[in-house]
Amino acid sequence: MARVRVRQHVNPLSSKYQQSLSLPDWSQIYSNLSLPLHLDIGCARGRFLLEMAPQNPDINFLGFEIREPLVIEANQLRDEENLTNLHYLFGNINTSLEDILNSLPADKIELVMVQFPDPWFKKKHHKRRVIQPETVATLAKFLKSGSQIFLQSDIKEVAEEMCDRFLAHPSFNPLQSEIWLTENPIGVMTEREIATLNKGEPVYRTMLVRE
């Protein structure tokens, strides 16, 4: 399959991405809805989940991405691999997260991942970043006690801001005493993580838990 070309950045605050999300019938998506669910917010081309899903057939995976061509391509690759525990969904997480979580089977989400989100470096664009206080509050509302949040970025400021926003909410705490992790606890790396490490640059990671 030819690699889909898309813009690297899209503005989540533009009117194009404020539309209501069309949610699927999850019973038609996953072969076993009773399995625990792992959610990858901002999954890009979805290659990370495409590797995770066959390794973990006892877990359902949902990738969420704002660039629709990448979602279409990722679902085509999923179908080629005949993976019934993986789905990719197009939309804007900052406007649709509550609708998504409300539509999913209750208390199934065990892990939420946000990996290398768009940093939106300019201060006036920080409001476009994916992890906002409202995002954290919505996750706190729907996640069960013991659910985990995995955050990582190659931009220290972005990683610290994401972490601080979760820790500012009373429902979230670090999973262990050392907030920043030296190793990836997931076992599978994203394309961005591999490229960053190959350049000898640091990755800032943390794992939090919903109390």
Side-chain angles (χ1 to χ4, degrees):
M1 177 185 296
R3 193 176 180 88
V4 174
R5 296 176 62 88
V6 296
R7 292 182 60 187
Q8 184 174 357
H9 306 284
V10 296
N11 179 7
L13 301 181
S14 69
S15 59
K16 177 180 178 180
Y17 299 107
Q18 305 306 307
Q19 308 301 318
S20 298
L21 185 66
S22 178
L23 292 167
D25 178 352
W26 297 112
S27 66
Q28 300 299 311
I29 297 294
Y30 297 111
S31 61
N32 184 356
L33 265 182
S34 68
L35 296 178
L37 178 68
H38 289 188
L39 175 62
D40 188 17
I41 296 175
C43 64
R45 295 184 180 275
R47 302 302 194 268
F48 166 78
L49 292 183
L50 199 66
E51 186 173 349
M52 287 285 288
Q55 293 183 19
N56 300 273
D58 55 345
I59 298 172
N60 286 330
F61 294 90
L62 176 60
F64 199 81
E65 172 58 41
I66 198 170
R67 292 166 291 179
E68 189 172 20
L70 298 187
V71 173
I72 294 171
E73 177 191 59
N75 277 323
Q76 288 173 345
L77 291 171
R78 172 210 59 192
D79 291 343
E80 291 174 6
E81 299 294 328
N82 295 314
L83 296 171
T84 61
N85 65 328
L86 173 61
H87 185 66
Y88 300 95
L89 192 64
F90 159 69
N92 183 353
I93 205 74
N94 294 118
T95 59
S96 301
L97 181 58
E98 183 157 359
D99 289 340
I100 295 167
L101 298 181
N102 198 42
S103 74
L104 291 165
D107 296 330
K108 293 301 180 183
I109 299 177
E110 290 187 347
L111 176 65
V112 176
M113 298 166 283
V114 184
Q115 305 184 75
F116 304 94
D118 194 326
W120 293 109
F121 287 112
K122 293 181 180 180
K123 188 173 182 179
K124 67 178 181 179
H125 291 160
H126 286 187
K127 59 188 176 181
R128 300 179 182 180
R129 289 177 173 175
V130 65
I131 297 301
Q132 301 292 332
E134 296 81 5
T135 318
V136 174
T138 299
L139 287 170
K141 176 181 176 181
F142 283 92
L143 296 185
K144 63 183 178 180
S145 176
S147 296
Q148 297 179 354
I149 305 287
F150 179 54
L151 308 171
Q152 64 172 346
S153 175
D154 51 345
I155 309 298
K156 185 178 182 181
E157 176 210 339
V158 172
E160 289 177 339
E161 181 185 77
M162 290 194 295
C163 183
D164 289 346
R165 284 182 168 171
F166 274 98
L167 295 183
H169 194 286
S171 295
F172 295 101
N173 284 307
L175 185 62
Q176 55 192 45
S177 57
E178 291 293 330
I179 292 181
W180 300 107
L181 307 176
T182 57
E183 301 292 334
N184 184 332
I186 304 297
V188 172
M189 294 189 291
T190 68
E191 293 175 287
R192 181 61 175 267
E193 184 176 2
I194 293 170
T196 299
L197 296 176
N198 284 343
K199 291 186 290 186
E201 297 176 355
V203 173
Y204 305 93
R205 315 178 185 90
T206 189
M207 187 77 83
L208 311 175
V209 63
R210 169 71 165 87
E211 298 294 349

